[in-house]
C-alpha cells in the first residue's frame, strides 16, 4: 500500500502490485497537516485504519516492512527513513522493519 500527503492536505492511497496500481481502493486514512510558512516547514499526521492493511490483528513480534519518504521536488531532495538506493521508491526489500510490541 502507498499513502501520499501534500502540504495542501491532498492525499492519495493506493495498492501497488507493480506494474498495476489500485487507484479505486480506499483505506479510509485520515490526515492533519500544519504549515508554518515563516519556518518554511510543514508537518503531517496520518491515521491509517489497521483493518485496511490486514484482516488479522498483528501479534506481538510480527514484523512488517515500512518506509517513509519525503519528496521535495522544488529542491530536488528525496529523503527516506530507510533509503532504497535503487532508483525507485518501490523496493520493499530495502524498507525498514516495523515490529509490533504489546
Amino acid at each position: 500500500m502507498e499513502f501520499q500527503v501534500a502540504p495542501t492536505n491532498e492525499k492519495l492511497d493506493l495498492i501497488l502490485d507493480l506494474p498495476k496500481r489500485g487507484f479505486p481502493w480506499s483505506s479510509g486514512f485520515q490526515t492533519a497537516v500544519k504549515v508554518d510558512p515563516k519556518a518554511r516547514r510543514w508537518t503531517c499526521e496520518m491515521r491509517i485504519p489497521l483493518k485496511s492493511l490486514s484482516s488479522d490483528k498483528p501479534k506481538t513480534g510480527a514484523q512488517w516492512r515500512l518506509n517513509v519518504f519525503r519528496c521535495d521536488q522544488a529542491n530536488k531532495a528525496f529523503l527516506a527513513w530507510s533509503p532504497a538506493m535503487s532508483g525507485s521508491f518501490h523496493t520493499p526489500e530495502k524498507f525498514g522493519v516495523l515490529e509490533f510490541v504489546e
Side-chain angles (χ1 to χ4, degrees), residues 67 69 82-95:
N67 216 344
F69 297 99
S82 182
M85 307 299 284
S86 68
S88 171
F89 294 121
H90 305 118
T91 314
E93 62 273 12
K94 300 283 188 167
F95 290 5

Side-chain angles (χ1 to χ4, degrees), residues 3 6 8 17 26 40 48 56-57 70 82 89 91 95:
F3 302 87
T8 55
D17 184 13
S26 177
R40 300 186 60 179
I48 303 169
D56 299 320
K57 180 180 175 183
R70 166 77 169 103
S82 182
F89 294 121
T91 314
F95 290 5

